[in-house]
Coordinates of all heavy atoms in Angstrom, one line a residue:
M1 N 20.5 14.7 4.1 CA 19.5 13.9 4.5 C 19.1 12.8 3.5 O 18.9 11.7 3.8 CB 18.3 14.7 4.9 CG 17.1 14.0 5.4 SD 17.3 13.4 7.1 CE 15.8 12.7 7.4
E2 N 19.0 13.3 2.2 CA 18.6 12.4 1.2 C 19.6 11.2 0.9 O 19.2 10.1 0.6 CB 18.3 13.1 -0.1 CG 19.4 13.9 -0.7 CD 19.3 15.4 -0.1 OE1 18.6 15.7 0.8 OE2 20.1 16.2 -0.7
Y3 N 20.9 11.6 1.1 CA 21.9 10.5 1.0 C 21.8 9.5 2.1 O 21.9 8.3 1.9 CB 23.3 11.2 1.0 CG 23.5 12.1 -0.2 CD1 23.4 13.5 0.0 CD2 23.8 11.7 -1.4 CE1 23.5 14.4 -1.0 CE2 23.9 12.5 -2.5 CZ 23.8 13.9 -2.3 OH 24.0 14.7 -3.3
L4 N 21.5 10.0 3.3 CA 21.4 9.1 4.4 C 20.1 8.2 4.2 O 20.2 7.0 4.5 CB 21.2 9.9 5.7 CG 21.0 9.1 7.0 CD1 22.3 8.3 7.3 CD2 20.7 10.0 8.2
A5 N 19.0 8.8 3.8 CA 17.8 8.1 3.6 C 18.0 7.0 2.5 O 17.6 5.8 2.7 CB 16.7 9.0 3.3
A6 N 18.6 7.4 1.4 CA 18.8 6.4 0.3 C 19.7 5.3 0.8 O 19.3 4.1 0.6 CB 19.5 7.1 -0.9
A7 N 20.7 5.6 1.5 CA 21.6 4.5 2.0 C 20.9 3.6 3.0 O 21.1 2.4 3.0 CB 22.9 5.1 2.6
A8 N 20.1 4.2 3.9 CA 19.4 3.5 4.9 C 18.4 2.5 4.3 O 18.3 1.3 4.7 CB 18.7 4.4 5.9
F9 N 17.6 3.0 3.3 CA 16.7 2.1 2.6 C 17.4 0.9 2.0 O 16.9 -0.2 2.0 CB 15.9 2.8 1.5 CG 14.7 3.6 2.0 CD1 14.7 5.0 2.1 CD2 13.6 2.9 2.5 CE1 13.6 5.7 2.6 CE2 12.5 3.6 3.0 CZ 12.5 5.0 3.0
I10 N 18.6 1.1 1.4 CA 19.3 0.1 0.8 C 19.9 -0.9 1.8 O 19.7 -2.1 1.8 CB 20.4 0.6 -0.2 CG1 19.7 1.3 -1.3 CG2 21.3 -0.5 -0.6 CD1 20.6 2.2 -2.1
A11 N 20.6 -0.3 2.8 CA 21.3 -1.1 3.8 C 20.3 -1.9 4.7 O 20.5 -3.1 5.0 CB 22.2 -0.3 4.7
L12 N 19.2 -1.3 5.1 CA 18.2 -1.9 5.9 C 17.2 -2.8 5.1 O 16.5 -3.6 5.7 CB 17.4 -0.9 6.7 CG 18.2 0.0 7.6 CD1 17.3 1.1 8.2 CD2 18.9 -0.8 8.7
N13 N 17.2 -2.7 3.8 CA 16.4 -3.5 2.9 C 14.9 -3.5 3.3 O 14.3 -4.5 3.5 CB 16.9 -4.9 2.8 CG 16.3 -5.7 1.6 OD1 16.0 -5.0 0.6 ND2 16.2 -7.0 1.8
Q14 N 14.4 -2.2 3.5 CA 13.0 -2.0 3.9 C 12.4 -1.0 3.0 O 13.1 -0.2 2.3 CB 13.0 -1.4 5.4 CG 13.6 -2.3 6.4 CD 13.6 -1.7 7.8 OE1 14.3 -2.3 8.6 NE2 13.0 -0.5 8.0
E15 N 11.1 -1.1 2.9 CA 10.3 -0.1 2.1 C 9.9 1.1 2.9 O 9.5 2.1 2.4 CB 9.0 -0.8 1.5 CG 9.4 -1.9 0.6 CD 10.2 -1.5 -0.7 OE1 9.8 -0.4 -1.2 OE2 11.1 -2.2 -1.0
D16 N 9.8 0.9 4.3 CA 9.5 2.0 5.2 C 10.5 2.0 6.3 O 11.0 1.0 6.8 CB 8.1 1.7 5.9 CG 7.0 1.7 4.9 OD1 7.0 2.4 3.9 OD2 6.0 0.9 5.1
V17 N 11.0 3.2 6.6 CA 12.0 3.5 7.7 C 11.4 4.6 8.5 O 11.1 5.7 8.1 CB 13.3 3.8 7.0 CG1 14.3 4.2 8.1 CG2 13.9 2.7 6.1
T18 N 11.4 4.3 9.9 CA 10.9 5.4 10.8 C 12.0 6.4 10.9 O 13.2 6.2 10.6 CB 10.6 4.8 12.2 OG1 11.8 4.4 12.8 CG2 9.5 3.7 12.1
L19 N 11.6 7.6 11.3 CA 12.6 8.7 11.5 C 13.5 8.3 12.6 O 14.7 8.7 12.6 CB 11.9 10.0 11.7 CG 11.1 10.6 10.5 CD1 10.5 11.9 10.9 CD2 11.9 10.7 9.3
D20 N 13.1 7.6 13.6 CA 13.9 7.1 14.7 C 15.0 6.2 14.1 O 16.2 6.3 14.5 CB 13.1 6.5 15.8 CG 12.4 7.5 16.6 OD1 12.7 8.6 16.6 OD2 11.4 7.0 17.3
E21 N 14.6 5.2 13.3 CA 15.5 4.3 12.7 C 16.6 5.1 11.8 O 17.8 4.7 11.9 CB 14.8 3.3 11.8 CG 14.0 2.2 12.5 CD 13.2 1.4 11.6 OE1 12.6 1.9 10.6 OE2 13.3 0.1 11.8
L22 N 16.1 6.0 11.1 CA 17.0 6.9 10.3 C 18.0 7.6 11.1 O 19.2 7.7 10.8 CB 16.1 7.8 9.4 CG 16.9 8.6 8.3 CD1 17.6 7.6 7.4 CD2 16.0 9.5 7.6
S23 N 17.5 8.2 12.2 CA 18.4 8.9 13.1 C 19.5 7.9 13.7 O 20.6 8.3 13.8 CB 17.6 9.5 14.3 OG 18.4 10.2 15.2
Q24 N 19.1 6.7 14.1 CA 20.0 5.8 14.7 C 21.0 5.3 13.6 O 22.2 5.2 13.9 CB 19.3 4.5 15.2 CG 18.5 4.8 16.5 CD 19.4 5.4 17.6 OE1 20.4 4.9 17.9 NE2 18.9 6.5 18.2
Y25 N 20.5 5.2 12.4 CA 21.4 4.9 11.3 C 22.4 6.0 11.0 O 23.6 5.7 10.8 CB 20.6 4.6 10.0 CG 21.3 4.1 8.8 CD1 21.7 2.8 8.7 CD2 21.7 5.0 7.8 CE1 22.4 2.3 7.6 CE2 22.5 4.5 6.7 CZ 22.8 3.2 6.6 OH 23.5 2.8 5.6
G26 N 22.0 7.2 11.1 CA 22.8 8.4 11.0 C 23.9 8.4 12.0 O 25.1 8.8 11.8
I27 N 23.6 8.1 13.3 CA 24.5 8.0 14.4 C 25.6 7.0 14.1 O 26.8 7.3 14.3 CB 23.8 7.7 15.7 CG1 23.0 8.9 16.1 CG2 24.8 7.4 16.8 CD1 22.0 8.7 17.2
K28 N 25.2 5.8 13.6 CA 26.2 4.8 13.2 C 27.1 5.3 12.1 O 28.3 5.0 12.1 CB 25.5 3.5 12.8 CG 24.8 2.8 14.0 CD 24.1 1.6 13.5 CE 23.3 1.0 14.6 NZ 22.4 -0.2 14.2
V29 N 26.6 5.9 11.1 CA 27.4 6.4 10.0 C 28.4 7.4 10.5 O 29.5 7.4 10.1 CB 26.5 7.0 8.8 CG1 27.3 7.7 7.8 CG2 25.7 5.9 8.2
T30 N 27.9 8.4 11.3 CA 28.8 9.4 11.8 C 29.9 8.8 12.6 O 31.1 9.2 12.5 CB 28.0 10.3 12.8 OG1 26.9 10.9 12.0 CG2 28.8 11.4 13.3
K31 N 29.6 7.7 13.4 CA 30.7 7.0 14.2 C 31.7 6.4 13.3 O 32.9 6.5 13.5 CB 30.0 6.0 15.1 CG 31.0 5.2 15.9 CD 31.6 5.9 17.0 CE 32.4 5.0 17.9 NZ 33.8 5.4 18.0
I32 N 31.2 5.7 12.2 CA 32.1 5.1 11.3 C 33.0 6.2 10.6 O 34.2 6.0 10.5 CB 31.4 4.3 10.2 CG1 30.7 3.1 10.8 CG2 32.3 3.9 9.0 CD1 29.8 2.4 9.9
L33 N 32.4 7.3 10.3 CA 33.2 8.4 9.7 C 34.2 8.9 10.6 O 35.4 9.2 10.3 CB 32.3 9.5 9.2 CG 31.4 9.2 8.0 CD1 30.4 10.2 7.7 CD2 32.3 9.0 6.7
E34 N 33.8 9.2 11.9 CA 34.8 9.6 12.9 C 35.9 8.7 13.1 O 37.1 9.1 13.2 CB 34.0 9.9 14.2 CG 33.2 11.1 14.2 CD 32.3 11.2 15.5 OE1 32.4 10.4 16.4 OE2 31.6 12.2 15.6
D35 N 35.6 7.4 13.2 CA 36.6 6.3 13.4 C 37.6 6.3 12.2 O 38.7 5.9 12.4 CB 36.0 4.9 13.6 CG 35.3 4.8 14.9 OD1 35.4 5.7 15.8 OD2 34.5 3.8 15.0
S36 N 37.1 6.8 11.1 CA 38.0 6.8 9.9 C 38.6 8.1 9.7 O 39.2 8.4 8.6 CB 37.1 6.5 8.6 OG 36.5 5.2 8.8
H37 N 38.5 9.0 10.7 CA 39.1 10.3 10.7 C 38.6 11.2 9.6 O 39.3 12.0 8.9 CB 40.6 10.3 10.6 CG 41.2 9.4 11.7 ND1 41.2 9.8 13.0 CD2 41.8 8.2 11.6 CE1 41.8 8.8 13.7 NE2 42.1 7.8 12.9
I38 N 37.3 11.1 9.3 CA 36.6 11.9 8.3 C 35.6 12.8 9.1 O 34.7 12.2 9.8 CB 35.8 11.1 7.3 CG1 36.8 10.2 6.5 CG2 35.0 11.9 6.3 CD1 36.2 9.2 5.6
S39 N 35.7 14.1 9.0 CA 34.8 15.0 9.7 C 33.5 15.1 8.9 O 33.5 15.3 7.7 CB 35.4 16.4 9.8 OG 36.6 16.3 10.6
A40 N 32.4 15.0 9.6 CA 31.1 15.0 8.9 C 30.0 15.5 9.9 O 30.1 15.2 11.1 CB 30.7 13.7 8.3
V41 N 29.0 16.2 9.4 CA 27.8 16.5 10.1 C 26.7 16.0 9.3 O 26.5 16.3 8.2 CB 27.7 18.0 10.3 CG1 26.4 18.4 11.0 CG2 28.9 18.6 11.1
I42 N 25.9 15.1 9.9 CA 24.7 14.6 9.3 C 23.5 15.2 9.9 O 23.2 15.1 11.1 CB 24.6 13.1 9.4 CG1 25.8 12.5 8.6 CG2 23.3 12.5 8.8 CD1 26.0 11.0 8.7
L43 N 22.7 16.0 9.1 CA 21.5 16.7 9.5 C 20.3 15.8 9.4 O 19.8 15.5 8.3 CB 21.4 18.0 8.7 CG 22.5 18.9 8.7 CD1 22.3 20.1 7.7 CD2 22.8 19.4 10.1
C44 N 19.9 15.2 10.5 CA 18.8 14.3 10.5 C 17.8 14.7 11.6 O 18.0 14.6 12.7 CB 19.3 12.9 10.8 SG 18.1 11.6 10.7
S45 N 16.7 15.3 11.1 CA 15.6 15.7 12.0 C 14.3 15.6 11.3 O 14.3 15.5 10.0 CB 15.9 17.1 12.6 OG 15.7 18.0 11.5
E46 N 13.2 15.8 12.0 CA 11.9 15.9 11.3 C 11.9 17.0 10.3 O 11.3 16.9 9.2 CB 10.8 16.0 12.3 CG 9.4 16.0 11.7 CD 8.3 16.0 12.8 OE1 8.6 15.6 13.9 OE2 7.3 16.5 12.5
H47 N 12.5 18.2 10.6 CA 12.5 19.3 9.7 C 13.2 18.9 8.4 O 12.7 19.2 7.3 CB 13.3 20.5 10.4 CG 13.6 21.6 9.5 ND1 12.7 22.5 9.0 CD2 14.8 21.9 8.8 CE1 13.3 23.3 8.2 NE2 14.6 23.0 8.1
Y48 N 14.4 18.3 8.5 CA 15.1 17.9 7.3 C 14.4 16.8 6.5 O 14.5 16.8 5.3 CB 16.5 17.5 7.6 CG 17.4 18.7 8.1 CD1 17.8 18.9 9.4 CD2 17.7 19.7 7.2 CE1 18.5 20.0 9.8 CE2 18.4 20.8 7.6 CZ 18.8 20.9 8.9 OH 19.6 22.0 9.2
A49 N 13.7 15.9 7.2 CA 12.9 14.9 6.6 C 11.8 15.5 5.8 O 11.6 15.1 4.6 CB 12.3 13.9 7.6
L50 N 11.1 16.5 6.3 CA 10.0 17.2 5.6 C 10.6 17.9 4.4 O 10.0 17.8 3.3 CB 9.3 18.2 6.5 CG 8.4 17.6 7.6 CD1 8.0 18.6 8.6 CD2 7.2 16.8 7.0
E51 N 11.7 18.5 4.6 CA 12.3 19.2 3.4 C 12.7 18.2 2.3 O 12.6 18.5 1.2 CB 13.6 20.0 4.0 CG 14.2 20.9 3.0 CD 14.0 22.3 3.4 OE1 13.2 22.7 4.3 OE2 14.6 23.1 2.7
M52 N 13.3 17.1 2.7 CA 13.7 16.1 1.8 C 12.5 15.6 1.0 O 12.6 15.4 -0.2 CB 14.4 14.9 2.5 CG 14.8 13.8 1.5 SD 15.4 12.4 2.4 CE 13.9 11.8 3.1
V53 N 11.4 15.3 1.7 CA 10.2 14.8 1.0 C 9.7 15.8 0.0 O 9.3 15.5 -1.1 CB 9.2 14.4 2.0 CG1 7.8 14.1 1.4 CG2 9.6 13.1 2.8
R54 N 9.7 17.1 0.4 CA 9.3 18.2 -0.5 C 10.2 18.2 -1.8 O 9.7 18.3 -2.9 CB 9.3 19.5 0.1 CG 8.0 19.8 0.9 CD 7.9 21.3 1.3 NE 9.0 21.7 2.3 CZ 8.8 21.6 3.6 NH1 7.8 21.1 4.1 NH2 9.8 22.0 4.4
N55 N 11.5 18.1 -1.5 CA 12.5 18.2 -2.6 C 12.6 17.0 -3.5 O 12.9 17.1 -4.7 CB 13.9 18.6 -2.1 CG 13.9 20.0 -1.5 OD1 13.2 20.9 -1.9 ND2 14.8 20.2 -0.6
F56 N 12.3 15.8 -2.9 CA 12.4 14.6 -3.6 C 11.1 13.7 -3.5 O 11.2 12.6 -3.2 CB 13.6 13.8 -3.1 CG 14.9 14.6 -3.3 CD1 15.5 15.2 -2.2 CD2 15.6 14.6 -4.5 CE1 16.7 15.9 -2.3 CE2 16.7 15.4 -4.6 CZ 17.3 16.0 -3.5
S57 N 10.0 14.4 -3.8 CA 8.7 13.7 -3.6 C 8.5 12.6 -4.6 O 7.6 11.7 -4.4 CB 7.6 14.7 -3.7 OG 7.6 15.4 -5.0
D58 N 9.3 12.5 -5.6 CA 9.2 11.4 -6.5 C 9.8 10.1 -6.0 O 9.5 9.0 -6.4 CB 9.9 11.7 -7.9 CG 11.3 12.1 -7.8 OD1 11.7 12.8 -6.8 OD2 12.1 11.7 -8.6
C59 N 10.7 10.3 -4.9 CA 11.4 9.2 -4.3 C 10.8 8.8 -2.9 O 10.8 7.6 -2.6 CB 12.9 9.5 -4.2 SG 13.7 9.7 -5.7
F60 N 10.5 9.8 -2.1 CA 10.1 9.5 -0.7 C 8.7 10.1 -0.4 O 8.3 11.1 -1.0 CB 11.1 10.2 0.2 CG 12.5 9.8 -0.1 CD1 13.4 10.7 -0.7 CD2 13.1 8.5 0.2 CE1 14.7 10.4 -1.0 CE2 14.4 8.2 0.0 CZ 15.2 9.1 -0.6
D61 N 8.1 9.5 0.6 CA 6.8 10.0 1.1 C 6.9 9.8 2.6 O 7.5 8.9 3.1 CB 5.7 9.2 0.5 CG 4.4 9.9 0.6 OD1 4.3 11.1 1.0 OD2 3.4 9.3 0.3
L62 N 6.2 10.7 3.3 CA 6.0 10.5 4.8 C 4.7 10.0 5.1 O 3.7 10.4 4.6 CB 6.2 11.9 5.5 CG 7.6 12.3 5.9 CD1 7.6 13.7 6.4 CD2 8.2 11.4 6.9
I63 N 4.6 8.9 5.9 CA 3.4 8.3 6.3 C 3.3 8.2 7.8 O 4.3 8.5 8.5 CB 3.2 6.9 5.6 CG1 4.4 6.0 6.0 CG2 3.1 7.1 4.1 CD1 4.3 4.6 5.5
K64 N 2.2 7.6 8.3 CA 2.0 7.4 9.7 C 2.3 8.6 10.6 O 3.2 8.7 11.4 CB 2.9 6.2 10.2 CG 2.5 4.9 9.6 CD 3.4 3.8 10.1 CE 3.0 2.5 9.3 NZ 3.9 1.4 9.6
D65 N 1.5 9.6 10.3 CA 1.6 10.9 11.1 C 3.0 11.5 10.9 O 3.6 12.1 11.9 CB 1.3 10.7 12.6 CG -0.1 10.3 12.8 OD1 -1.0 10.8 12.0 OD2 -0.4 9.6 13.7
D66 N 3.6 11.4 9.8 CA 4.9 12.0 9.5 C 6.0 11.4 10.3 O 7.0 12.1 10.6 CB 4.9 13.5 9.6 CG 4.0 14.2 8.5 OD1 3.7 13.5 7.5 OD2 3.7 15.4 8.7
T67 N 5.9 10.2 10.7 CA 7.0 9.6 11.5 C 7.7 8.5 10.8 O 8.7 8.0 11.3 CB 6.4 8.9 12.8 OG1 5.5 7.9 12.5 CG2 5.7 10.0 13.7
T68 N 7.3 8.2 9.6 CA 7.9 7.1 8.8 C 8.1 7.5 7.3 O 7.1 8.0 6.7 CB 7.0 5.8 8.8 OG1 6.8 5.5 10.2 CG2 7.6 4.7 8.1
L69 N 9.3 7.3 6.8 CA 9.5 7.5 5.4 C 9.1 6.3 4.6 O 9.4 5.1 5.0 CB 11.0 7.7 5.2 CG 11.6 9.1 5.4 CD1 13.1 9.1 5.3 CD2 10.9 10.1 4.5
H70 N 8.5 6.5 3.5 CA 8.1 5.4 2.6 C 8.9 5.6 1.3 O 8.9 6.7 0.7 CB 6.6 5.4 2.4 CG 6.2 4.4 1.4 ND1 6.2 3.0 1.6 CD2 5.8 4.5 0.1 CE1 5.8 2.4 0.6 NE2 5.5 3.2 -0.4
L71 N 9.4 4.5 0.8 CA 10.2 4.6 -0.5 C 9.2 4.4 -1.7 O 8.4 3.5 -1.7 CB 11.2 3.4 -0.5 CG 12.1 3.3 -1.7 CD1 12.9 4.6 -1.8 CD2 13.0 2.1 -1.6
K72 N 9.3 5.3 -2.6 CA 8.4 5.3 -3.8 C 9.0 4.8 -5.1 O 8.3 4.7 -6.1 CB 7.8 6.7 -4.0 CG 6.9 7.2 -2.8 CD 6.6 8.7 -2.9 CE 5.8 9.0 -4.1 NZ 5.4 10.5 -4.1
V73 N 10.3 4.5 -5.0 CA 11.0 4.1 -6.3 C 11.8 2.8 -6.0 O 12.0 2.4 -4.8 CB 12.0 5.2 -6.8 CG1 11.2 6.5 -7.2 CG2 13.0 5.6 -5.7
E74 N 12.3 2.2 -7.1 CA 13.2 1.1 -6.9 C 14.5 1.5 -6.3 O 15.0 2.6 -6.5 CB 13.4 0.4 -8.3 CG 12.2 -0.1 -9.0 CD 11.6 -1.3 -8.3 OE1 12.4 -2.1 -7.8 OE2 10.3 -1.4 -8.2
K75 N 15.1 0.6 -5.6 CA 16.4 0.9 -4.9 C 17.5 1.3 -5.9 O 18.4 2.1 -5.6 CB 16.8 -0.2 -4.0 CG 15.9 -0.3 -2.8 CD 16.2 -1.4 -1.9 CE 15.2 -1.3 -0.7 NZ 14.6 -2.6 -0.4
N76 N 17.5 0.7 -7.1 CA 18.5 1.1 -8.1 C 18.4 2.5 -8.5 O 19.4 3.1 -8.9 CB 18.4 0.2 -9.4 CG 17.1 0.3 -10.1 OD1 16.1 0.6 -9.5 ND2 17.1 -0.1 -11.4
I77 N 17.2 3.1 -8.4 CA 17.1 4.6 -8.7 C 17.8 5.4 -7.6 O 18.5 6.4 -7.9 CB 15.6 5.0 -8.9 CG1 15.1 4.3 -10.1 CG2 15.5 6.5 -8.9 CD1 13.6 4.5 -10.4
L78 N 17.7 4.9 -6.3 CA 18.3 5.6 -5.2 C 19.9 5.5 -5.4 O 20.6 6.5 -5.2 CB 18.0 4.9 -3.9 CG 16.5 5.0 -3.4 CD1 16.4 4.3 -2.1 CD2 16.1 6.5 -3.3
I79 N 20.3 4.4 -5.8 CA 21.8 4.2 -6.1 C 22.3 5.2 -7.1 O 23.2 5.9 -6.9 CB 22.1 2.8 -6.4 CG1 21.9 1.9 -5.3 CG2 23.6 2.7 -6.9 CD1 21.9 0.4 -5.6
A80 N 21.6 5.2 -8.3 CA 22.0 6.1 -9.4 C 21.8 7.6 -9.0 O 22.7 8.4 -9.4 CB 21.1 5.8 -10.6
R81 N 20.8 7.9 -8.3 CA 20.5 9.3 -8.0 C 21.3 9.9 -6.8 O 21.7 11.1 -6.9 CB 19.1 9.5 -7.8 CG 18.6 10.9 -7.8 CD 17.2 11.0 -8.1 NE 16.7 12.4 -8.0 CZ 15.5 12.8 -7.9 NH1 14.5 11.9 -7.9 NH2 15.1 14.0 -7.9
F82 N 21.6 9.1 -5.8 CA 22.2 9.7 -4.6 C 23.5 9.1 -4.2 O 24.3 9.7 -3.6 CB 21.2 9.5 -3.4 CG 19.9 10.1 -3.6 CD1 18.8 9.4 -3.8 CD2 19.8 11.5 -3.5 CE1 17.5 10.0 -4.0 CE2 18.6 12.2 -3.7 CZ 17.4 11.4 -3.9
L83 N 23.8 7.8 -4.6 CA 25.0 7.2 -4.0 C 26.1 6.9 -5.1 O 27.2 6.8 -4.7 CB 24.6 5.8 -3.4 CG 23.6 5.9 -2.3 CD1 23.3 4.5 -1.8 CD2 23.9 6.8 -1.2
A84 N 25.7 7.0 -6.3 CA 26.7 6.6 -7.4 C 27.9 7.5 -7.5 O 29.0 7.1 -7.9 CB 26.0 6.6 -8.8
Y85 N 27.8 8.7 -7.0 CA 28.9 9.7 -7.1 C 29.6 10.0 -5.8 O 30.4 10.9 -5.7 CB 28.4 11.0 -7.8 CG 27.8 10.7 -9.2 CD1 26.5 10.6 -9.4 CD2 28.7 10.5 -10.2 CE1 26.0 10.3 -10.7 CE2 28.2 10.2 -11.5 CZ 26.8 10.1 -11.7 OH 26.3 9.8 -12.9
M86 N 29.3 9.2 -4.8 CA 29.9 9.4 -3.5 C 31.3 8.9 -3.6 O 31.6 7.9 -4.3 CB 29.2 8.6 -2.4 CG 28.0 9.3 -1.8 SD 27.5 8.3 -0.4 CE 26.4 9.4 0.4
S87 N 32.2 9.5 -2.8 CA 33.6 8.9 -2.7 C 33.5 7.5 -2.0 O 32.6 7.2 -1.3 CB 34.5 9.9 -1.8 OG 34.1 9.8 -0.5
K88 N 34.6 6.8 -2.2 CA 34.7 5.4 -1.7 C 34.5 5.4 -0.2 O 33.8 4.6 0.4 CB 36.0 4.8 -2.1 CG 36.2 3.4 -1.6 CD 37.5 2.9 -2.0 CE 38.1 2.0 -1.0 NZ 39.5 1.7 -1.2
D89 N 35.2 6.4 0.5 CA 35.1 6.4 1.9 C 33.7 6.7 2.5 O 33.3 6.1 3.4 CB 36.1 7.5 2.5 CG 37.6 7.2 2.3 OD1 37.8 6.0 2.0 OD2 38.4 8.0 2.4
L90 N 33.1 7.7 1.8 CA 31.7 8.0 2.2 C 30.8 6.9 1.9 O 29.9 6.5 2.8 CB 31.2 9.3 1.6 CG 31.8 10.6 2.1 CD1 31.3 11.8 1.2 CD2 31.5 10.8 3.5
L91 N 30.9 6.3 0.7 CA 30.0 5.2 0.4 C 30.2 4.0 1.3 O 29.2 3.4 1.8 CB 30.3 4.8 -1.1 CG 29.3 3.7 -1.6 CD1 27.9 4.2 -1.6 CD2 29.7 3.4 -3.0
S92 N 31.4 3.8 1.7 CA 31.6 2.7 2.7 C 31.0 3.0 4.0 O 30.3 2.1 4.6 CB 33.1 2.5 2.9 OG 33.8 2.0 1.7
A93 N 31.1 4.2 4.5 CA 30.4 4.5 5.8 C 28.9 4.5 5.6 O 28.2 4.0 6.5 CB 30.9 5.9 6.2
F94 N 28.4 5.0 4.6 CA 26.9 5.0 4.4 C 26.3 3.7 4.2 O 25.2 3.5 4.4 CB 26.5 6.0 3.3 CG 26.4 7.4 3.7 CD1 27.5 8.2 3.8 CD2 25.1 7.9 4.0 CE1 27.3 9.5 4.2 CE2 25.0 9.2 4.4 CZ 26.1 10.1 4.5
T95 N 27.1 2.7 3.7 CA 26.6 1.4 3.5 C 27.1 0.5 4.7 O 27.0 -0.7 4.6 CB 27.1 0.8 2.2 OG1 28.5 0.8 2.1 CG2 26.5 1.5 1.0
Q96 N 27.5 1.1 5.7 CA 27.9 0.4 7.0 C 29.0 -0.6 6.9 O 29.1 -1.5 7.6 CB 26.6 -0.3 7.6 CG 25.5 0.7 7.9 CD 25.9 1.6 9.0 OE1 26.2 1.2 10.2 NE2 26.0 2.9 8.8
Q97 N 29.9 -0.3 6.0 CA 31.1 -1.2 5.9 C 32.3 -0.3 6.4 O 32.5 0.8 6.0 CB 31.3 -1.7 4.5 CG 30.2 -2.6 4.1 CD 30.4 -3.3 2.8 OE1 31.5 -3.4 2.4 NE2 29.3 -3.7 2.1
K98 N 33.1 -0.9 7.2 CA 34.2 -0.2 7.8 C 35.2 0.2 6.7 O 35.6 -0.6 5.9 CB 34.9 -1.2 8.8 CG 35.9 -0.5 9.7 CD 35.1 0.3 10.7 CE 36.1 0.8 11.8 NZ 35.6 1.9 12.5
V99 N 35.6 1.5 6.8 CA 36.7 2.0 5.9 C 38.0 1.5 6.4 O 38.3 1.6 7.6 CB 36.6 3.5 5.8 CG1 37.7 4.1 4.9 CG2 35.2 4.0 5.3
K100 N 38.8 1.0 5.5 CA 40.1 0.5 5.9 C 41.2 1.5 5.8 O 41.2 2.4 5.1 CB 40.5 -0.7 5.0 CG 39.6 -1.9 5.3 CD 40.0 -3.1 4.4 CE 39.0 -4.1 4.7 NZ 39.1 -5.3 4.0

């Protein structure tokens, strides 16, 4: 969930992302991975969002009746903490660029 959220904040270039937007983003990422013959399960739900906020409260916060994620850090911190060590294929999918 935290990898998906980090990538969504960067790709969508927003400070707030609704859980619905995050879910739709996760569906797109899953489709890109499937099209690239990479098996993946992305766990994206309110439960996992709450868990992520508890585990990474220095980066994310839930606002608007727990329906919207708010980014609490600079995007370069998300890159260093969550995306820097992803494989090229996964990073391409999470940043919405087609894997060749």
Side-chain angles (χ1 to χ4, degrees):
M1 180 75 174
E2 56 273 10
Y3 299 100
L4 181 68
F9 276 111
I10 293 165
L12 299 173
N13 197 28
Q14 298 174 191
E15 297 299 316
D16 297 324
V17 175
T18 67
L19 295 182
D20 286 339
E21 288 174 314
L22 189 59
S23 179
Q24 291 303 310
Y25 187 80
I27 290 168
K28 290 177 186 175
V29 169
T30 301
K31 177 74 172 123
I32 290 170
L33 290 168
E34 286 174 359
D35 290 349
S36 302
H37 306 290
I38 299 171
S39 297
V41 174
I42 296 178
L43 303 174
C44 184
S45 69
E46 186 176 329
H47 168 78
Y48 290 111
L50 290 170
E51 189 110 350
M52 178 189 68
V53 169
R54 276 193 294 273
N55 292 333
F56 301 100
S57 60
D58 59 321
C59 296
F60 308 105
D61 200 9
L62 273 173
I63 58 174
K64 297 181 184 172
D65 296 326
D66 293 345
T67 62
T68 304
L69 278 175
H70 176 72
L71 183 60
K72 295 170 63 174
V73 297
E74 298 291 323
K75 291 181 178 128
N76 62 335
I77 293 174
L78 295 180
I79 293 168
R81 192 157 178 196
F82 299 109
L83 305 180
Y85 300 101
M86 277 187 166
S87 71
K88 180 181 146 194
D89 292 345
L90 286 178
L91 187 58
S92 293
F94 273 81
T95 56
Q96 296 296 295
Q97 297 188 22
K98 196 72 170 160
V99 177
K100 294 180 181 176

